[in-house]
Amino acid sequence: VLANLGDCRLAVLRKDFSRVSTMVEHRLAVNPAEKARVESCGATVTNDRISGVLAVSRAIGDYAFKPQDADPSLRPVSTTPE
């Protein structure tokens, strides 16, 4: 069973609902490595948000943070899961 835990987390559960694993959270406030990745792409992080707006760094939407002319590995917001 997959359980959605919010914007950027999910858990994999057994049938008895014991947790198998939880994905790494990609909110910048709690993931220093992800903040460093975003800054290395040339984005600013203000108030734990990309450009002071977006709190997650891995998302399907949020196209304003994904320049189409940039290499996908250089985009501050990525659709690639960790």
Side-chain angles (χ1 to χ4, degrees), residues 4 10-11 15 19 28-30 32 34-35 37-38 41 46 49-50 54 56 60 62-66 68 70:
N4 181 2
L10 69 87
K15 287 183 180 182
R19 186 167 49 190
L28 300 177
V30 297
E34 196 67 6
K35 179 180 177 183
R37 185 194 69 76
V38 168
C41 292
T46 307
R49 295 174 178 273
I50 299 171
L54 187 64
V56 297
I60 294 172
D62 301 305
Y63 298 109
F65 296 93
K66 298 176 187 163
Q68 295 305 302

Side-chain angles (χ1 to χ4, degrees), residues 10-33:
L10 69 87
V12 179
L13 309 170
R14 293 182 179 93
K15 287 183 180 182
D16 67 358
F17 295 104
S18 60
R19 186 167 49 190
V20 175
S21 68
T22 304
M23 291 179 65
V24 173
E25 192 165 346
H26 291 104
R27 286 186 309 120
L28 300 177
V30 297
N31 191 327

